[in-house]
Amino acid sequence: MGFRVFVTRRIPEAGLELLRRECSDLHISPHDRAATREELLRGVAGRDGVLCHLTDRVDDEVLAAAGPACRAFANYAVGYNNIDVAAAARRGIWVTNTPGVLTETTADLAWALLMSVARRIVESDRFFRSGRWDGWGPMQFLGHDIHGATLGVIGAGRIGQAVARRATGFGMRILYCGRRDVPEMQQLGAVRVELDALLAASDFVSLHVPLTDATRHLIGRRELGLMKPTAYLINTARGPVVDEVALVEALRDKRIAGAGLDVYEEEPMPTAGLIELPNVVCVCHIGSATEATRSKMAEMAAMNLLAAMRGEVPPHAVNAPHSS
Ligand code: DGY
């Protein structure tokens, strides 16, 4: 007998293919949108495993609804702040994620945002398309140099390191903060400093911390106030790491030069005033969104789920179920 699995929203074929081989009942949500609460509660019922997304709030109610047969919730993301991992552990359910495969892709996007906002690419593109451009001008779209500037990396894990590696090609000075020295960062010549010192000295501040109670609103009014008026904030981590109301104020009052955002406090809703600002580049949580990376994530999530359902320790578990 094969496994009974619910996939809360379609993922690339590479992952579904793996699941089909071992599942007798594979239910993939037919909707190309996040599952509603009701769909989630109904969909998980009686499953051996669930492949879920960062848009699914997997709390104790959902875990209970899955029932006693459920072995795992495999998140199709490296971040797993959407899942109550402790509650899952108490219920003997594995929670897994997809680390590593999206590191370089997400770092690329952080750099795309950094370059877009510092060189005013999106603003200039919009102006060009509007038909109002009347030719080259000495004072048009003046941005800030990237080469030779100082990059501050907050959170020197895999993605933070990949962002820092790219900075060496631009001759940048690199600062980072974290709880301990990170050898990979030291090898790049990066210097570990306290958060406040990083904020005060950096021309670009790039966020790469997971969302936890300790990092919620890590960047608020006080921290934005420490940044240079010529500095930029880049967020490809999680929206709630930044107090978005304070960010809108700082951008509006030109207390910082700009921001490049992939993630938001209340996705998909932007905080009032954000999208009217010219000095912010906003994209739609696309950090890992390339064909190759999303396929690898799909395979990894499927492999995690299948391993757990077979009774094995899944390769990328983020909790330790009490009864497993
Ligand atoms: C993640 O993996 O956490 C990203 O936010 C989505 O790929």
Side-chain angles (χ1 to χ4, degrees):
M1 197 190 106
F3 302 120
R4 296 159 299 175
V5 163
F6 177 47
V7 178
T8 66
R9 187 171 183 174
R10 178 170 289 280
I11 57 167
E13 208 41 42
L16 296 177
E17 187 57 41
L18 290 176
L19 291 175
R20 278 193 200 100
R21 287 187 207 154
E22 295 187 50
C23 295
S24 55
D25 176 5
L26 178 63
H27 180 62
I28 304 162
S29 168
H31 311 291
D32 188 19
R33 54 161 171 74
T36 64
R37 187 75 183 163
E38 291 65 35
E39 286 163 358
L40 188 59
L41 289 167
R42 221 175 321 114
V44 301
R47 303 287 164 180
D48 300 309
V50 177
L51 196 148
C52 59
H53 295 278
L54 56 87
T55 41
D56 300 318
R57 183 164 51 84
V58 179
D59 54 15
D60 200 50
E61 188 189 12
V62 172
L63 295 163
C70 187
R71 305 292 300 144
F73 273 71
N75 216 32
Y76 179 77
V78 66
Y80 49 88
N81 53 288
N82 56 308
I83 305 181
D84 186 340
V85 291
R90 281 195 298 277
R91 291 185 178 276
I93 295 175
W94 292 101
V95 175
T96 67
N97 71 342
T98 63
V101 289
L102 48 76
T103 299
E104 302 298 332
T105 302
T106 307
D108 286 348
L109 186 84
W111 268 87
L113 287 171
L114 185 159
M115 298 183 93
S116 299
V117 69
R119 296 304 307 273
R120 305 180 64 176
I121 304 291
V122 177
E123 264 183 279
S124 171
D125 175 273
R126 264 195 225 114
F127 193 72
F128 180 81
R129 288 169 199 267
S130 76
R132 286 179 293 147
W133 188 47
D134 58 2
W136 183 87
M139 300 301 285
Q140 285 172 4
F141 295 106
L142 305 185
H144 287 108
D145 279 330
I146 297 158
H147 67 274
T150 298
L151 172 70
V153 174
I154 299 182
R158 278 180 296 259
I159 300 173
Q161 290 168 29
V163 167
R165 268 199 309 281
R166 285 156 174 73
T168 61
F170 285 80
M172 293 176 94
R173 173 175 167 238
I174 308 166
L175 305 176
Y176 72 101
C177 62
R179 279 191 296 275
R180 60 191 76 84
D181 284 346
V182 176
E184 292 84 349
M185 294 295 272
Q186 312 283 111
Q187 276 159 24
L188 299 174
V191 178
R192 184 162 75 94
V193 294
E194 294 300 320
L195 177 64
D196 288 5
L198 180 146
L199 292 167
S202 299
D203 300 303
F204 298 95
V205 173
S206 195
L207 303 175
H208 302 288
V209 287
L211 175 62
T212 63
D213 288 344
T215 62
R216 189 174 295 277
H217 284 195
L218 179 69
I219 304 298
R221 193 163 287 120
R222 188 191 79 83
E223 291 71 24
L224 291 162
L226 293 174
M227 289 173 66
K228 299 183 198 179
T230 50
Y232 297 88
L233 181 73
I234 310 299
N235 190 5
T236 53
R238 282 291 182 267
V241 173
V242 177
D243 175 347
E244 212 167 88
V245 170
L247 177 64
V248 169
E249 281 171 17
L251 290 167
R252 188 190 293 136
D253 301 347
K254 309 245 171 35
R255 277 186 269 119
I256 64 171
L261 305 176
D262 183 37
V263 290
Y264 307 88
E265 262 207 270
E266 296 290 342
E267 293 179 12
M269 290 303 295
T271 290
L274 182 73
I275 56 176
E276 284 80 37
L277 296 167
N279 51 347
V280 57
V281 173
C282 298
V283 294
C284 307
H285 203 149
I286 56 170
S288 63
T290 67
E291 303 267 357
T293 293
R294 287 282 167 89
S295 280
K296 285 186 209 147
M297 288 166 65
E299 279 177 357
M300 197 176 222
M303 287 193 290
N304 280 328
L305 192 57
L306 289 168
M309 292 188 301
R310 286 187 214 116
E312 300 160 12
V313 174
H316 302 287
V318 298
N319 70 345
H322 295 179
S323 54
S324 282

